[in-house]
Amino acid sequence: MAKLLLLHAPHVIPRFSSSSRSLVSASALYRRPLLVNPQFSHYGPGLRSPYNRRFSARAFDDSPASSTEMEKEKQEQLLDGVSGKNDEDYPTGEMEYENRNAWEIFVVKLRMLFAYPWQRVRKGSVLTMTLRGQISDQLKSRFNSGLSLPQLSENFVKAAYDPRIAGVYLHIDPLSCGWGKVEELRRHILDFKKSGKFIVGYISICGLKEFYLGCACNELYAPPSAYSFLYGLTVQASFLGGVFEKVGIEPQVQRIGKYKSAGDQLSRKNISEENYEMLSVLLDNIYANWLDGVSDSTGKKREDVENFINQGVYEIEKLKEEGLIKDIRYDDEVIAMLKERLGVEKDKKLPTVDYKKYSGVKKWTLGLSGGRDQIAIIRAGGSISRVKGPLSTPGSAIIAEQLIEKIRSVRESKKFKAAIIRIDSPGGDALASDLMWREIKLLAETKPVIASMSDVAASGGYYMAMAANTIVAENLTLTGSIGVVTARFTLAKLYEKIGFNKETISRGKYAELLGAEERPFKPEEAELFEKSAQHAYQLFRDKAALSRSMPVDKMEEVAQGRVWTGRDAHSRGLVDALGGLSRAIAIAKQKANIPLNKKVTLVELSRPSTSLPDILSGIGSSVIGVDRTLKGLLDELTITEGVQARMDGIMFQQLGRDSLATPIIDLLKDYLSSLR
């Protein structure tokens, strides 16, 4: 039990963790949509020549750098043109739909004739997709259930150019993914509309995320029995201090950084002033951007949208009256409307193709494949660990030893002109983060490396990103959290309650620092515990300062464990540009001296595994319906050497929706009920 929640301690693997693992992270509300596949894009003239960031050998030194040394490094880098770049200096990656000429249309039709039967689509078909639950930032194989953001994004792009697709019918069910992925999907909806084809949304449970996507469609429908939960946003912080007190567990926490709130969950009974301040700012940013986005899509004034939210409307009829949805209709009535629009006879079936089948349609068939220049995309999602645990599921975590192999393969290969590290991680193992940082840094010395942040790239996730030449984040990506937390539990009172005794025999002054959980720290042990955390924090902070060409004292102002939105991080020098994956690709092309209007081939190095165990795991998950939360908890409990990353129970959610309690709280509730 003593090893249950060791976050960062001497002689064990320290771990970085964001103070907001369960934050439903958000992304930018762009008024001008971006495309994930920018080879169809055109960009304005006058763009600067690409460059690669020069890194000093000092970056690989583990000893903390002095302010004088950091300032000198900064001045040298300024002379090299590293700093001083504004957001406007980078290409936007914005999509501009291109109408094809007669020859291009002929070639596409010819390729369709040679497509495999399972890749053929009937002319005049409607692409139907259901957005529901979790949406992974990883690619998925045909044997894995669930939705994949890369595949959804690609489907929108293919459908825009596919002459066989007449439009899209989008069912939007309750979503439990982050706001960053919601924004990426919304961007693709707006991009698809540029093709002139229709996109119709259907929503039965109208929450903030679901409506945010739906209102971007040409038309949005809902059944008469639909639920409306457009009430606003909340943020919750969970605290285990009182629970531990009842069961006889005494957390001994060292948090470095006044905003590092992960330790608060273990030791406090209520929220700290610093945590309240940080969460209030994050919540304000998400809410304000949501209002702006809905205002843009509906054409209503921002204050009118906010007034509507504050009325507490639950009747779906009110949404129609206010013009927030097109009409109230059942699904079959919407289908009948689409049949009439497409000239399909009433007694005939509407020709459709679903998400899974259309994901199998190759881009080559539609003339969307890239050019000769290749850009590698390495996806890194989930909590960070050094090695794979025995119960780890594919794509559920960042395994350092596996990711390092991919990074090295890109560095050693001459075929890749640039690389993009796509990060969606709240942090984890500090050692693993540093090892990956080193490899990314080495890669960035040989070719352009762009870090593209998804929902969250905080703490260990930011540690990885800061090794790249350029960091791109969404407006509301959760990032930063430059800080560490150290925790050890004293179980003396618990042992007394249950009648358990433990005697420890040791050699060495500090041998019992982590093993003797039956007693509190001795003064000299507590001092070493704190020094270890301070040392790890200084290494993290100083490397961040060097990577961002910033004096240490300036970095200290934005570090201290504080989580920033991408927009705020950009204004403070932690992020270079704001945008999605499409902008990261455009910047990679710019830095690699590839013309921005030239096609490139995007090579996904994080392809889903096709090994028999992983296939069986995917099938088992679909058939048996293994609970995601339990699987995630098992993954964390099997991290090497018993050390695991713990994030606090903070979450953004919509009022009127079920709260997602952390697994550890559920386990403790079960334990407490068993003591009655």
Side-chain angles (χ1 to χ4, degrees):
M1 297 185 66
K3 291 186 177 181
L4 181 61
L5 292 175
L6 293 178
L7 299 182
H8 176 32
H11 308 306
V12 295
I13 299 177
R15 308 182 59 75
F16 293 120
S17 60
S18 162
S19 62
S20 51
R21 177 188 184 188
S22 298
L23 281 169
V24 181
S25 57
S27 63
L29 298 177
Y30 265 83
R31 303 202 177 191
R32 302 177 68 192
L34 305 178
L35 175 66
V36 162
N37 219 343
Q39 58 255 42
F40 314 118
S41 309
H42 290 287
Y43 307 94
L47 295 173
R48 296 186 183 181
S49 299
Y51 63 86
N52 289 330
R53 173 171 290 177
R54 183 179 68 83
F55 292 101
S56 165
R58 183 81 175 94
F60 308 110
D61 188 352
D62 285 340
S63 60
S66 68
S67 298
T68 304
E69 291 173 325
M70 293 296 300
E71 188 65 25
K72 183 178 178 181
E73 292 274 2
K74 179 186 177 184
Q75 294 301 323
E76 291 176 353
Q77 291 175 336
L78 281 169
L79 293 174
D80 287 346
V82 174
S83 301
K85 295 279 281 187
N86 297 319
D87 187 88
E88 295 78 11
D89 295 323
Y90 297 100
T92 65
E94 182 179 350
M95 173 193 181
E96 291 186 11
Y97 181 81
E98 297 178 356
N99 290 313
R100 288 172 163 165
N101 56 41
W103 171 251
E104 291 172 329
I105 294 174
F106 172 76
V107 171
V108 168
K109 289 182 177 181
L110 187 63
R111 288 177 175 178
M112 289 177 179
L113 293 175
F114 294 95
Y116 293 113
W118 56 86
Q119 295 176 0
R120 294 177 184 174
V121 178
R122 181 178 170 183
K123 184 175 177 58
S125 293
V126 175
L127 172 60
T128 61
M129 296 190 289
T130 300
L131 305 179
R132 176 189 299 136
Q134 291 283 349
I135 298 178
S136 173
D137 205 64
Q138 305 291 320
L139 293 167
K140 289 183 177 290
S141 71
R142 69 183 65 180
F143 303 103
N144 294 114
S145 60
L147 298 173
S148 164
L149 179 62
Q151 288 163 330
L152 283 168
S153 301
E154 186 176 282
N155 278 359
F156 276 113
V157 175
K158 291 186 298 186
Y161 286 91
D162 194 334
R164 302 167 298 181
I165 298 296
V168 173
Y169 185 27
L170 198 63
H171 279 74
I172 308 171
D173 282 350
L175 295 164
S176 53
C177 62
W179 280 94
K181 297 182 181 68
V182 171
E183 181 60 32
E184 188 82 14
L185 288 170
R186 185 175 187 271
R187 185 177 294 132
H188 280 287
I189 292 174
L190 297 174
D191 284 341
F192 178 81
K193 291 165 66 174
K194 294 179 180 180
S195 68
K197 301 177 182 181
F198 69 81
I199 179 166
V200 173
Y202 186 80
I203 187 169
S204 56
I205 298 181
C206 191
L208 290 185
K209 293 179 190 174
E210 295 78 21
F211 181 74
Y212 183 64
L213 284 178
C215 71
C217 298
N218 295 115
E219 303 168 18
L220 180 61
Y221 297 91
S225 55
Y227 297 121
S228 173
F229 294 126
L230 299 182
Y231 300 152
L233 285 168
T234 62
V235 59
Q236 295 182 345
S238 302
F239 301 96
L240 299 173
V243 177
F244 287 147
E245 184 179 295
K246 288 182 180 295
V247 299
I249 298 175
E250 181 185 350
Q252 295 181 289
V253 177
Q254 281 289 340
R255 67 171 191 175
I256 311 301
K258 63 180 181 179
Y259 293 101
K260 197 68 176 180
S261 60
D264 289 359
Q265 184 188 26
L266 305 178
S267 59
R268 294 183 62 94
K269 298 180 182 179
N270 50 30
I271 195 167
S272 67
E273 292 183 6
E274 295 84 1
N275 197 13
Y276 182 87
E277 173 196 346
M278 178 179 70
L279 295 178
S280 295
V281 171
L282 293 174
L283 188 60
D284 287 342
N285 284 333
I286 293 176
Y287 189 49
N289 277 271
W290 185 88
L291 292 172
D292 289 339
V294 173
S295 174
D296 287 346
S297 294
T298 61
K300 294 185 174 295
K301 294 181 180 179
R302 187 182 188 275
E303 53 268 27
D304 292 338
V305 177
E306 187 169 15
N307 289 336
F308 183 82
I309 293 296
N310 291 333
Q311 292 175 22
V313 175
Y314 56 88
E315 307 101 323
I316 202 69
E317 292 81 6
K318 290 291 183 66
L319 272 70
K320 179 183 177 182
E321 292 174 10
E322 293 292 330
L324 296 177
I325 62 174
K326 176 72 173 179
D327 202 357
I328 298 175
R329 299 188 183 186
Y330 285 106
D331 180 52
D332 63 287
E333 294 176 313
V334 177
I335 292 176
M337 178 202 69
L338 293 177
K339 288 168 63 175
E340 182 179 356
R341 180 177 299 178
L342 297 175
V344 179
E345 297 179 9
K346 291 184 178 181
D347 58 341
K348 300 292 184 180
K349 187 176 179 180
L350 179 72
T352 61
V353 56
D354 61 22
Y355 157 78
K356 190 169 185 179
K357 179 178 180 180
Y358 199 67
S359 295
V361 174
K362 301 299 182 183
K363 290 192 294 183
W364 176 86
T365 305
L366 303 172
L368 300 178
S369 54
R372 296 182 61 183
D373 293 322
Q374 298 185 18
I375 295 177
I377 297 182
I378 304 174
R379 297 184 182 271
S383 60
I384 297 171
S385 60
R386 191 169 56 88
V387 297
K388 185 177 180 180
L391 297 180
S392 296
T393 55
S396 64
I398 301 174
I399 311 300
E401 62 179 7
Q402 297 177 352
L403 195 74
I404 286 173
E405 288 183 10
K406 294 183 176 68
I407 296 170
R408 287 177 178 172
S409 68
V410 175
R411 177 160 56 93
E412 295 166 359
S413 175
K414 295 182 179 180
K415 66 180 181 180
F416 296 115
K417 302 295 184 181
I420 294 172
I421 311 293
R422 176 72 170 176
I423 303 173
D424 189 17
S425 172
D429 190 327
L431 172 59
S433 301
D434 188 65
L435 295 176
M436 292 186 290
W437 173 87
R438 168 69 174 181
E439 294 297 331
I440 296 171
K441 185 79 77 175
L442 292 174
L443 176 60
E445 290 184 323
T446 64
K447 57 192 67 176
V449 178
I450 314 300
S452 172
M453 296 177 171
S454 181
D455 283 344
V456 57
S459 212
Y462 184 77
Y463 201 120
M464 296 172 59
M466 68 189 190
N469 300 111
T470 306
I471 300 176
V472 181
E474 298 280 10
N475 267 1
L476 296 178
T477 293
L478 296 179
T479 188
S481 190
I482 300 170
V484 297
V485 173
T486 307
R488 193 202 79 159
F489 292 109
T490 299
L491 308 179
K493 293 181 180 179
L494 174 62
Y495 287 173
E496 183 180 349
K497 283 184 178 182
I498 63 177
F500 179 79
N501 185 39
K502 180 179 179 181
E503 300 289 346
T504 301
I505 302 173
S506 62
R507 298 292 184 273
K509 183 177 180 180
Y510 297 104
E512 298 182 11
L513 184 69
L514 299 176
E517 78 282 355
E518 71 277 7
R519 63 167 177 80
F521 279 137
K522 296 176 183 178
E524 62 271 19
E525 291 174 330
E527 181 181 0
L528 178 61
F529 204 55
E530 180 181 0
K531 286 182 177 180
S532 172
Q534 286 285 358
H535 177 69
Y537 171 68
Q538 290 170 4
L539 290 178
F540 190 179
R541 180 201 60 196
D542 293 351
K543 284 184 177 180
L546 182 59
S547 297
R548 301 307 302 164
S549 304
M550 189 183 297
V552 173
D553 57 349
K554 188 68 175 177
M555 176 58 69
E556 179 68 16
E557 295 177 7
V558 297
Q560 299 193 53
R562 178 153 187 170
V563 178
W564 303 96
T565 61
R567 180 174 58 189
D568 288 344
H570 176 258
S571 67
R572 288 163 174 80
L574 296 177
V575 167
D576 295 298
L578 296 173
L581 181 60
S582 60
R583 190 168 199 190
I585 295 170
I587 294 173
K589 291 167 69 175
Q590 181 196 46
K591 287 181 172 290
N593 285 315
I594 301 172
L596 294 172
N597 59 355
K598 184 179 180 181
K599 291 184 178 181
V600 295
T601 297
L602 306 177
V603 181
E604 291 274 2
L605 269 68
S606 303
R607 290 282 176 184
S609 173
T610 55
S611 66
L612 181 59
D614 289 341
I615 291 175
L616 293 178
S617 174
I619 295 174
S621 297
S622 302
V623 176
I624 304 174
V626 179
D627 183 80
R628 283 181 173 270
T629 302
L630 178 58
K631 289 172 68 179
L633 179 61
L634 288 175
D635 286 345
E636 292 182 353
L637 290 177
T638 55
I639 292 175
T640 179
E641 297 187 28
V643 182
Q644 70 174 275
R646 278 302 307 161
M647 311 299 167
D648 56 13
I650 301 168
M651 66 196 75
F652 283 105
Q653 66 171 29
Q654 301 163 27
L655 292 174
R657 301 286 289 278
D658 292 336
S659 172
L660 303 175
T662 56
I664 187 65
I665 293 178
D666 291 337
L667 291 176
L668 287 170
K669 285 180 179 177
D670 293 340
Y671 173 71
L672 288 173
S673 64
S674 68
L675 297 178
R676 296 175 183 173

